[in-house]
Amino acid sequence: MEKIVIGCDHAAVQMKNNVINHLKSRGFDVIDVGTYSEESCDYPDYAYAAAKKVATGEVEKGILICGTGIGMSIAANKVKGIRCALCDNLFSAEMTRRHNDSNMLSMGARVISNQLALKIVDMFLDTPFEGGRHQRRVEKLMAIENE
Ligand code: RB5
């Protein structure tokens, strides 16, 4: 069973729970790093907890959700090994997998509907990396981490 990590802040608990139910119905083993209530919290804590699991190889991919998705994506991209894409449409979700080999998806619960979020999740998880010329570009991206 493929494992996937998911995290959110207080602005996105409901959307996260919808996404978790969807992932479970698709047969994924979901690791939920929280937050678990709508009590105000700090999104970097949850982004970091989830990103670490991807960066260490414990899981292959992760999903982050906050109000806009912006804070979560900024935080995750500070973790070595993470390529987190903020997506609010299906085209971006498809292209970030094909071209960037993104290993984390970020979404904004105050930006998109629950229905669109599930479609974006499916596109992200079901689209393969194209490799080829994109492999070189991804390698250049990751080399920046060692500067
Ligand atoms: C929380 O109010 C909000 O700032 C957070 O969910 C997110 O949108 C940050 O980028």
Side-chain angles (χ1 to χ4, degrees):
M1 197 185 284
E2 192 180 334
K3 271 192 199 172
I4 189 153
V5 66
I6 188 163
C8 73
D9 75 355
H10 54 278
V13 175
Q14 199 204 329
M15 182 175 280
K16 184 192 68 175
N17 289 336
N18 283 338
V19 171
I20 289 173
N21 288 337
H22 180 67
L23 291 170
K24 285 186 175 166
S25 76
R26 284 195 49 177
F28 285 92
D29 181 4
V30 183
I31 303 175
D32 178 5
V33 297
T35 190
Y36 307 108
S37 81
E38 290 179 358
E39 192 180 322
S40 183
C41 65
D42 299 332
Y43 58 83
D45 298 337
Y46 300 93
Y48 184 55
K52 261 197 316 189
K53 293 193 184 293
V54 177
T56 58
E58 184 180 335
V59 299
E60 202 182 308
K61 291 196 184 79
I63 297 172
L64 298 168
I65 319 174
C66 63
T68 59
I70 297 171
M72 283 290 201
S73 62
I74 293 172
N77 279 315
K78 290 190 178 299
V79 177
K80 201 169 179 175
I82 297 302
R83 293 178 300 283
C84 180
L86 170 57
C87 296
D88 62 8
N89 64 81
L90 288 172
F91 181 71
S92 295
E94 180 181 358
M95 296 315 283
T96 197
R97 284 291 310 129
R98 287 200 189 288
H99 289 190
N100 313 125
D101 196 19
S102 290
N103 50 16
M104 296 195 83
L105 166 69
S106 182
M107 299 184 292
R110 293 172 178 162
V111 180
I112 60 173
S113 67
N114 276 311
Q115 204 184 8
L116 179 56
L118 299 187
K119 288 184 181 160
I120 289 174
V121 164
D122 284 345
M123 181 66 85
F124 184 81
L125 295 176
D126 297 341
T127 304
F129 177 48
E130 272 179 23
R133 67 189 187 280
H134 301 294
Q135 179 66 43
R136 182 181 70 243
R137 293 165 186 167
V138 169
E139 280 166 16
K140 286 189 176 185
L141 266 184
M142 304 324 282
I144 297 171
E145 290 181 339
N146 300 319
E147 288 293 306

